Amino acid sequence: MRKILGLSLILAILSLSACALFQHRDPLNINVVGIEPLPSQGLEMRFAVKLRLQNPNETTIDYNGVALDLEVNGHTLATGVSDQTGSIPRFSEGILSIPVSISAFSVLRQTLGLSQTQSLDNLPYVLKGKLAGGLFGTMRFVDRGTLDLPGSTATW
C-alpha cells in the first residue's frame, strides 16, 4: 500500500512539473480582412477568406494546417481547410488565405431561415478555426459578431 501511495505521489508531482513546461499563450487576434471569389464547380461557390492573425505572445507560433468554419444565423454557411505551413513571429502579424466552399443547400437553408422582415444586416456570425501545430501546438480560435453589409438596408 505504501508503494502505491508513494508512486501516486511521484506521478502527481511529475505531472504538475510537466504543466510548468508548457508556456501560457495569449489567444491570437483574428480578423477577416477580405473575401475574394475563386473558380466554382457545380452547385457550390468558392471564396478565399483572408484572415489577419496577430500574435501577442513572446514566442513564435508555427502552424502546419488551417481549418475554418463560418456559421451565419446559427447555421453553417462555409467551411474550408488548407495544408499551408508557416509561422507568425513573436509580437507580429500575418495574413492567411483559406479557400472555403459554400454549397447551394447552405445558401438555400440560410435564405429559408430568414423571415420576410429580417434583413441581411446584423445577422449573427461565428467564425471558428484552428491552426494545427502538432500535439501541443494546435491553437483554436473563435470570433463572433454581426454582419454589417454595406447597402443591405436603405436609409434616406
Side-chain angles (χ1 to χ4, degrees):
M1 185 68 158
R2 284 184 147 177
K3 289 181 182 180
I4 293 174
L5 184 59
L7 183 60
S8 297
L9 183 60
I10 289 172
L11 288 176
I13 291 171
L14 287 175
S15 65
L16 287 175
S17 64
C19 290
L21 295 175
F22 300 112
Q23 294 179 343
H24 170 73
R25 287 189 180 174
D26 289 323
L28 293 174
N29 298 318
I30 310 291
N31 294 305
V32 176
V33 294
I35 299 175
E36 298 175 356
L38 293 174
S40 299
Q41 295 180 4
L43 294 175
E44 74 173 358
M45 294 182 288
R46 303 225 349 119
F47 295 92
V49 175
K50 293 190 175 200
L51 299 176
R52 179 177 309 279
L53 292 95
Q54 296 176 329
N55 179 5
N57 296 287
E58 295 180 17
T59 58
T60 297
I61 295 175
D62 297 314
Y63 60 91
N64 59 11
V66 185
L68 189 65
D69 291 320
L70 176 64
E71 294 178 8
V72 175
N73 206 24
H75 299 287
T76 299
L77 178 64
T79 60
V81 293
S82 174
D83 65 352
Q84 296 177 58
T85 61
S87 62
I88 305 167
R90 61 186 291 274
F91 296 107
S92 188
E93 60 184 35
I95 301 282
L96 287 179
S97 182
I98 300 108
V100 298
S101 300
I102 303 174
S103 74
F105 299 110
S106 293
V107 173
L108 182 61
R109 182 175 48 230
Q110 288 291 334
T111 304
L112 293 175
L114 294 175
S115 68
Q116 290 182 350
T117 59
Q118 190 175 12
S119 73
L120 294 176
D121 206 16
N122 293 321
L123 286 178
Y125 75 86
V126 178
L127 179 70
K128 298 177 186 177
K130 73 175 180 177
L131 289 176
L135 184 60
F136 297 110
T138 296
M139 297 191 74
R140 296 183 184 277
F141 57 88
V142 176
D143 182 37
R144 300 176 198 282
T146 56
L147 294 176
D148 184 17
L149 303 174
S152 63
T153 55
T155 55
W156 302 100

